[in-house]
Amino acid sequence: MRTKFSGILTLFLAFIVQFTFAQEKTISGTVTDDKGLPLPGVNIIVKNTTNGTQTDFDGNYSILANRGAVLTYSYVGFETKEIAVTDSDVINVELAASASELEEVIVTAYGVGRRSTVTAAISTVGAEDIEDFVPTTSIDNILQGQAAGVQVTAANGRPGNTAFVQIRGTGSINASTTPLYVIDGVPIPINEGENFNPLNNINPNDIESLSILKDAASASKYGSRGANGVVLITTKKGRAGEAKISFNSSYGFGERIADPFDLMNAEQKLEIERQYADLGVGAANRLPGNTATPAERARLISYDTNWEEELLRTSVVQNNSLSIAGGTEDLTYFLSLGYNIDTGIIDRIDGFERVSARLNTTYQAKKWLAIGANVSAARSTTDLPRDRNNVQNPFRGMYDYNPYAPLYARDDNGNIVNDADGNPVFNRGGGIFFPIAQALQTELEDNRNLLFIGNLSADITLSEKFSNRFAVGVINNKFNRTNRSLPGGVLQGFIGDANFPGTQTENVNVDFEYNVNNLFTYTDTYNDLHNLTASVLLEYNENIRNELRVDARGFPSPKIPYLDVAAEATRADSNESRRILFSQAVFADYNYDEKYILSGSLRRDGSSRFGPDNKYGTFYSGSIAWNIAKENFLEGSVFNDLKLRASYGTSGNQNIPDFQYIDAADFTTYNGNTALRPLRAGNPAIQWESQAILDIGLEFGLFNNRVSGVIDYFKKNSQDLLLNRPISHTAGDEDNGIFSNIGEVENKGFEFSLNADVIRTDNWSVSLGGNVTFLDNEVVKLVDGDDIITGTFGNNILREGEDIYSYYLVEYAGVNPDNGAPLYVDLDGNTTETYSDSFLQIQEGKSPIADLQGGFYGSFKYKGFGLRGDFVFRGGNYILNNQRQSGIAIGNIDANLRTEAFNYWKQPGDTNVLPSPTFQATADQTSTRFLEKGDFIRLRTLTLDYTLPSKFLDALPINKLRIYATGQNVLTFTDYEGDPEIGLGSAESGNQGDGTFVPGSFSLFSYPQVKSYIFGLELGF
């Protein structure tokens, strides 16, 4: 009996012990680094379960766990720690920096690497830096001022527009200079000539990091696509642990950056018309300043109109982003949604709108197999008018429309005239023959863009030494443009037909591209000192583009915008184009104890854009590096990082139109029948444009990397330039030119980057940093040494031994104080009152390309408060200010002018004046009179934020609350008359993809840059 009782008691006690240890309880604590600073975002998982959480902003956490369970604490850059749960409910953890993981891991060509063992010149922009530049509608704008050697110029202020990005100068003349963008391994096709650039449809909130590959050691691995540098975009991914929800919402407004152009009011404009008429300016004789009676003059003055107020508005900018990230040890996910609105500053239209979604997943299917899948979709719409240099552009209208011409028509009593429906009638008098305010409502343009990007990858670990990565990337973009001129609209009076009221044009462009690559890699270490990695790459890329256009006229109602109801179709055409790129490459990386590093690559590309004899191009690179900081003689010194590196290699450029190597014909009609006509003369000898790139750099980090920097010297020679060489008019070529390899240019310079954590304590942190690039460029060789006149209006020149795109203008010498005539300089250096095109000469040392550029920042944080300002600057470039020229041109007397126009020569002895209006024929000519330095410093962004300490959030279901206010383009310091940040002068006059387009060379009523103020809220759950 006693034995039986003893057995029962033993079982009971065992049950009690098991129950006690199985009880779940709440464990809380704080995770810090070895300096006692809190670590936010540390992953804490109950080992062998899916139960997990993350630390909040202050490093605090809480989690349910059983006694005896093991908690795993992991964080990037720190050693993972495991701690068993005991009786204590509080577990504070200090994580030690990991020797193997502490070093920054950066994204490189076809993989990742530790910065200490990378031999390439790579600049990175991390998530924290990106956060201060969001919201923005295009990711390339984020790069401005953030990386040495990267010149970023916003095309203009148009919502949704991308930027002009050049890496280490202008590497080509006729072929594209846009870098290759790669998103999660998927190359993004950009076709400037077809206005196809998907970058403005990618949500910047989804970006984890940007890596800019600048030298041959990295860019050459992309062969023919890496000639202009490479920008690697890595999007966010989930991490194992509890789901992390983030919501970011902002709202703000924008306005045109003011210029110094003081326009005339009604009274002043009437007076200048009278004065010009008295001086014999013929166009002024018929204007009201000369013909109006005193009563009419008083009436016109009473109409005094500010056309900027009538045509523009304060824009509304709204951005919303929601993301959910998390997962288990085997499966992670990142899901995001985005919604962006920017109405723009043009009144009476909707502006830009974008909806986006993304899903990134990783799955460890087997110990030897990891699957990754990313997919994103975005749809954007815009009804912004095209960027023109005529009265259909409201930004020209606000300068040109006379101030005595009101927005709406007036009767004899000065009252607004209404139509039969009681709506005010737009004014077409006072020089307004094209009322743009009405045209914005009757000449409609609607652009829709639908973008899909997806990639699937499989990483197979064959053994400890062998691995294989197979990846497929797909991008599909559908662009629709609808142009309508409604029945009774403004344009109907110019190009319409009363028998067929209303016109409509539908454009549909579909771009489909897929990229398949396989990377087989061997990795081994010998004697714990010799580390070798070798890879073999096969890659296939194909792009298919379909275009469709249909025009129709005769619509019964403006409310039915469908071609089905049109009376007749006036045009219908379609075409398809394909291009293929096939590549083979080998890469090798070796280091000895991570001190002495060697890397090399060899790639062979085959492109369908070249003929059979020149289809393939071979590109190579070699690089070395010495990690001096790892030497024994620097042990215990102030240097944490000191690396000397050098690289040399080649890359190519194939960014020219398709099939330039063969003769081409075009179909037309002749006597009602289909006919064939010559279109283009081919050049079977055309081959790859090539670049040879030398780079020598020094990277350093001091005082526990609180001070870090990079110094680089680079030299980039672009050879066999693809230029459209003039040929005989009898050759049967549409533009009398043939693509040939006929030139060489050189870019060289120095880059400096420096960042410092000046103060870093528990409560305070102050960080300062910046970068600067000094650039020198030269045209080395042209065919037969002949000059090439280029530029949208022929104001730039390519000449051996001179700067690329030097200005080619007649030199202005001021005003003759005796008679008010403009003076010019002929080719012999003589001053003359005659203007002649024969006086055109190169303006040495003056081009649109800056020889100094960069950015700097200051970041200040105190407890939860933060303040950061980012500046960008540029110097040494020149801009032809055609917009200023227009505002004082004597021949523009029928339009409004600047008050400066009153300051013309009136009597002998007058100096510092404009030419006399009596010399209109020579005074209005384009010359160096309007060539200005484009130097500027701009406060690009200023952000003030506050993050609420987590102790105030304990009672709420959120773990992060941040509020912020951001100003963009807040201040600009410049002597240029206007906004000096110019990419497009006038898009329909000259745009990227045009053979003679030169970015930033002139200003001419393009959509102005915008100053904006945005207020936002960020929540974390």
Side-chain angles (χ1 to χ4, degrees):
M1 182 69 180
R2 180 175 299 176
T3 302
K4 186 175 181 180
F5 179 80
S6 176
I8 293 173
L9 180 61
T10 300
L11 290 173
F12 179 76
L13 291 175
F15 176 79
I16 294 297
V17 171
Q18 184 176 357
F19 178 81
T20 301
F21 276 93
Q23 274 188 320
E24 218 173 29
K25 64 176 183 175
T26 299
I27 306 297
S28 62
T30 303
V31 183
T32 60
D33 63 11
D34 53 1
K35 299 180 181 63
L37 297 177
L39 294 176
V42 175
N43 289 316
I44 304 151
I45 298 176
V46 180
K47 193 173 181 179
N48 298 324
T49 74
T50 59
N51 181 25
T53 187
Q54 288 183 331
T55 57
D56 61 19
F57 181 78
D58 296 319
N60 299 321
Y61 75 94
S62 65
I63 189 171
L64 291 174
N66 299 327
R67 287 182 177 85
V70 176
L71 299 182
T72 301
Y73 301 80
S74 62
Y75 192 62
V76 175
F78 291 82
E79 297 284 358
T80 298
K81 179 175 286 190
E82 293 185 350
I83 299 178
V85 177
T86 59
D87 292 337
S88 176
D89 294 337
V90 177
I91 301 179
N92 295 319
V93 180
E94 179 183 297
L95 294 183
S98 170
S100 61
E101 296 181 0
L102 179 60
E103 299 177 63
E104 181 183 358
V105 176
I106 58 176
V107 179
T108 63
Y110 296 99
V112 296
R114 298 207 310 275
R115 185 175 287 278
S116 66
T117 59
V118 171
T119 59
I122 300 177
S123 295
T124 58
V125 182
E128 292 184 0
D129 296 318
I130 294 172
E131 182 180 75
D132 289 309
F133 285 86
V134 175
T136 181
T137 55
S138 180
I139 58 178
D140 46 9
N141 285 289
I142 296 174
L143 295 172
Q144 189 176 42
Q146 297 299 296
V150 182
Q151 178 178 325
V152 180
T153 303
N156 53 21
R158 180 186 174 102
N161 250 17
T162 55
F164 297 123
V165 179
Q166 291 183 340
I167 297 176
R168 291 183 167 178
T170 301
S172 183
I173 294 177
N174 264 23
S176 170
T177 60
T178 300
L180 171 68
Y181 290 88
V182 180
I183 300 179
D184 294 331
V186 181
I188 302 300
I190 295 177
N191 189 334
E192 297 95 344
E194 302 295 341
N195 296 317
F196 171 48
N197 190 334
L199 294 180
N200 64 350
N201 278 315
I202 297 170
N203 186 355
N205 288 285
D206 292 344
I207 299 174
E208 180 69 26
S209 67
L210 300 166
S211 294
I212 302 98
L213 314 186
K214 299 184 290 186
D215 69 344
S218 53
S220 290
K221 292 184 177 182
Y222 287 94
S224 62
R225 292 184 288 185
N228 300 316
V230 183
V231 180
L232 303 180
I233 302 170
T234 303
T235 59
K236 296 176 180 177
K237 294 178 175 59
R239 295 179 179 176
E242 183 180 336
K244 186 177 182 180
I245 302 173
S246 178
F247 176 70
N248 195 327
S249 180
S250 64
Y251 184 90
F253 57 90
E255 58 189 12
R256 181 179 73 95
I257 295 178
D259 57 40
F261 299 162
D262 184 15
L263 297 176
M264 295 183 182
N265 60 29
E267 186 173 6
Q268 290 170 325
K269 182 55 180 23
L270 291 168
E271 174 59 21
I272 197 74
E273 291 174 0
R274 184 195 64 78
Q275 292 183 21
Y276 275 25
D278 290 347
L279 291 170
V281 178
N285 290 328
R286 66 178 187 274
L287 298 177
N290 183 56
T291 62
T293 64
E296 291 173 336
R297 184 183 181 90
R299 179 173 58 84
L300 292 174
I301 292 175
S302 71
Y303 293 157
D304 192 28
T305 303
N306 183 324
W307 278 103
E308 179 175 357
E309 294 179 357
E310 298 290 3
L311 297 177
L312 305 188
R313 67 184 174 195
T314 298
S315 68
V316 172
V317 182
Q318 186 176 353
N319 298 277
N320 296 282
S321 179
L322 174 67
S323 67
I324 305 175
T328 65
E329 293 182 359
D330 293 332
L331 176 66
T332 67
Y333 60 88
F334 173 82
L335 173 66
S336 75
L337 300 172
Y339 179 64
N340 309 85
I341 292 177
D342 189 340
T343 64
I345 58 175
I346 301 176
D347 202 6
R348 300 176 179 85
I349 59 176
D350 294 330
F352 177 84
E353 181 180 30
R354 179 181 66 206
V355 180
S356 62
R358 171 175 291 276
L359 176 62
N360 294 347
T361 61
T362 62
Y363 178 52
Q364 191 70 41
K366 299 286 186 180
K367 288 184 178 181
W368 51 269
L369 176 62
I371 304 295
N374 297 351
V375 61
S376 66
R379 185 179 189 272
S380 65
T381 61
T382 178
D383 59 352
L384 292 162
R386 280 175 284 178
D387 194 11
R388 306 178 178 190
N389 178 33
N390 58 30
V391 291
Q392 297 183 61
N393 178 1
F395 297 112
R396 175 144 200 164
M398 61 175 277
Y399 290 100
D400 278 4
Y401 288 168
N402 283 311
Y404 53 70
L407 177 64
Y408 298 113
R410 306 295 180 97
D411 60 20
D412 294 339
N413 297 320
N415 299 316
I416 294 176
V417 177
N418 294 321
D419 61 18
D421 297 324
N423 300 313
V425 176
F426 286 96
N427 180 31
R428 296 200 182 195
I432 302 177
F433 66 91
F434 188 92
I436 182 61
Q438 181 183 1
L440 290 170
Q441 298 174 339
T442 65
E443 315 307 314
L444 307 177
E445 178 168 326
D446 182 25
N447 298 324
R448 291 94 64 202
N449 206 90
L450 182 61
L451 172 69
F452 289 96
I453 301 176
N455 68 292
L456 179 67
S457 63
D459 290 279
I460 303 173
T461 303
L462 302 172
S463 68
E464 291 183 359
K465 299 179 181 181
F466 293 97
S467 63
N468 192 84
R469 178 179 177 84
F470 177 79
V472 179
V474 174
I475 178 170
N476 189 83
N477 190 85
K478 183 179 180 182
F479 172 77
N480 294 74
R481 172 183 289 160
T482 301
N483 293 94
R484 302 178 64 204
S485 180
L486 301 183
V490 176
L491 277 178
Q492 293 298 294
F494 298 93
I495 60 174
D497 187 326
N499 297 318
F500 300 93
T503 61
Q504 184 166 325
T505 297
E506 293 284 353
N507 294 92
V508 180
N509 300 332
V510 178
D511 288 87
F512 176 78
E513 178 168 314
Y514 64 95
N515 192 87
V516 182
N517 67 56
N518 192 87
L519 186 69
F520 180 78
T521 302
Y522 168 77
T523 303
D524 205 352
T525 299
Y526 305 93
N527 298 327
D528 295 326
L529 293 173
H530 303 274
N531 303 294
L532 175 67
T533 300
S535 302
V536 178
L537 173 74
L538 293 176
E539 189 165 33
Y540 181 87
N541 176 274
E542 182 172 8
N543 179 280
I544 305 170
R545 180 179 177 88
N546 288 278
E547 299 178 347
L548 172 68
R549 172 172 174 168
V550 179
D551 296 355
R553 64 178 183 174
F555 289 82
S557 169
K559 296 182 179 180
I560 308 178
Y562 305 110
L563 297 180
D564 299 34
V565 302
E568 66 175 21
T570 57
R571 175 179 175 177
D573 53 54
S574 65
N575 62 70
E576 178 180 290
S577 61
R578 293 175 178 242
R579 58 174 172 79
I580 295 173
L581 183 71
F582 177 68
S583 308
Q584 303 160 294
V586 292
F587 312 137
D589 298 282
Y590 166 81
N591 73 74
Y592 175 78
D593 199 22
E594 299 187 352
K595 292 181 182 179
Y596 316 109
I597 309 164
L598 297 173
S599 294
S601 69
L602 180 66
R603 177 166 176 146
R604 185 168 175 82
D605 284 351
S607 173
S608 62
R609 283 179 164 165
F610 301 104
D613 296 334
N614 299 294
K615 185 175 299 239
Y616 291 95
T618 302
F619 313 100
Y620 64 88
S621 72
S623 56
I624 59 175
W626 177 24
N627 262 328
I628 308 173
K630 292 184 179 293
E631 297 290 354
N632 294 333
F633 59 79
L634 281 182
E635 187 175 347
S637 70
V638 297
F639 287 97
N640 305 102
D641 180 25
L642 186 62
K643 182 172 67 175
L644 180 65
R645 52 174 169 74
S647 67
Y648 181 81
T650 62
S651 58
N653 195 337
Q654 56 147 352
N655 291 321
I656 59 172
D658 295 326
F659 308 116
Q660 295 296 312
Y661 66 92
I662 57 176
D663 297 335
D666 189 22
F667 288 96
T668 184
T669 56
Y670 182 75
N671 288 336
N673 298 311
T674 300
L676 204 62
R677 66 181 180 90
L679 177 66
R680 183 183 67 241
N683 178 8
I686 193 172
Q687 60 182 343
W688 302 83
E689 187 175 282
S690 63
Q691 290 188 352
I693 309 171
L694 169 69
D695 183 274
I696 301 173
L698 179 69
E699 301 176 9
F700 59 88
L702 307 167
F703 312 116
N704 292 323
N705 286 320
R706 290 185 62 170
V707 178
S708 62
V710 181
I711 302 172
D712 271 293
Y713 168 78
F714 64 90
K715 183 179 180 181
K716 180 169 68 173
N717 281 78
S718 302
Q719 302 169 336
D720 296 325
L721 293 181
L722 294 163
L723 299 176
N724 204 21
R725 176 170 57 88
I727 58 175
S728 170
H729 288 258
T730 62
D733 191 275
E734 187 176 47
D735 61 357
N736 301 311
I738 184 172
F739 264 96
S740 307
N741 301 96
I742 53 174
E744 179 181 349
V745 297
E746 178 182 273
N747 292 270
K748 61 184 178 181
F750 288 91
E751 299 171 357
F752 300 91
S753 298
L754 184 65
N755 298 280
D757 289 337
V758 180
I759 299 175
R760 188 168 62 189
T761 67
D762 291 350
N763 294 326
W764 269 101
S765 71
V766 177
S767 299
L768 303 173
N771 66 81
V772 61
T773 301
F774 299 92
L775 178 66
D776 183 28
N777 65 78
E778 179 184 342
V779 178
V780 177
K781 180 182 177 182
L782 295 173
V783 60
D784 299 327
D786 294 337
D787 295 343
I788 297 178
I789 308 302
T790 186
T792 300
F793 303 114
N795 299 135
N796 301 91
I797 189 172
L798 299 170
R799 176 176 293 176
E800 290 185 358
E802 300 293 344
D803 290 353
I804 302 173
Y805 297 133
S806 293
Y807 282 100
Y808 188 59
L809 297 165
V810 174
E811 189 171 337
Y812 181 69
V815 175
N816 188 335
D818 296 330
N819 61 3
L823 300 174
Y824 299 97
V825 179
D826 64 20
L827 295 185
D828 295 323
N830 302 314
T831 301
T832 175
E833 294 181 3
T834 303
Y835 179 93
S836 172
D837 287 342
S838 65
F839 298 164
L840 287 166
Q841 57 183 304
I842 188 170
Q843 303 300 312
E844 295 185 4
K846 297 179 179 180
S847 86
I849 302 174
D851 53 30
L852 172 70
Q853 62 188 17
F856 57 93
Y857 73 91
S859 177
F860 309 89
K861 293 183 179 180
Y862 176 69
K863 294 186 177 180
F865 291 94
L867 176 66
R868 173 165 173 152
D870 284 83
F871 293 80
V872 295
F873 61 87
R874 187 175 304 162
N877 62 305
Y878 284 77
I879 303 169
L880 189 58
N881 198 338
N882 291 333
Q883 193 161 325
R884 180 168 72 91
Q885 177 184 10
S886 178
I888 56 176
I890 301 164
N892 286 351
I893 185 60
D894 57 343
N896 199 12
L897 300 174
R898 297 174 57 186
T899 56
E900 180 188 356
F902 281 113
N903 185 33
Y904 59 82
W905 183 94
K906 298 180 178 65
Q907 60 188 7
D910 282 351
T911 58
N912 296 321
V913 292
L914 304 180
S916 169
T918 59
F919 293 95
Q920 174 190 341
T922 53
D924 285 351
Q925 300 294 334
T926 299
S927 68
T928 59
R929 175 185 175 190
F930 303 104
L931 187 63
E932 301 181 30
K933 294 193 70 173
D935 302 3
F936 73 89
I937 299 176
R938 168 164 284 172
L939 178 53
R940 180 74 168 86
T941 62
L942 180 66
T943 300
L944 174 66
D945 66 346
Y946 177 70
T947 301
L948 195 66
S950 60
K951 63 183 179 181
F952 298 112
L953 301 175
D954 292 341
L956 301 174
I958 60 176
N959 55 36
K960 182 179 181 181
L961 190 157
R962 172 178 175 259
I963 56 174
Y964 60 90
T966 297
Q968 295 183 340
N969 298 331
V970 179
L971 294 172
T972 304
F973 306 93
T974 183
D975 291 329
Y976 177 79
E977 288 201 58
D979 190 333
E981 188 178 357
I982 295 172
L984 287 173
S986 173
E988 289 203 355
S989 298
N991 204 345
Q992 199 166 15
D994 299 341
T996 58
F997 175 69
V998 180
S1001 60
F1002 66 92
S1003 65
L1004 193 61
F1005 305 108
S1006 187
Y1007 201 117
Q1009 300 290 344
V1010 174
K1011 178 190 299 184
S1012 61
Y1013 300 93
I1014 297 168
F1015 306 90
L1017 171 69
E1018 182 180 353
L1019 296 174
F1021 300 88

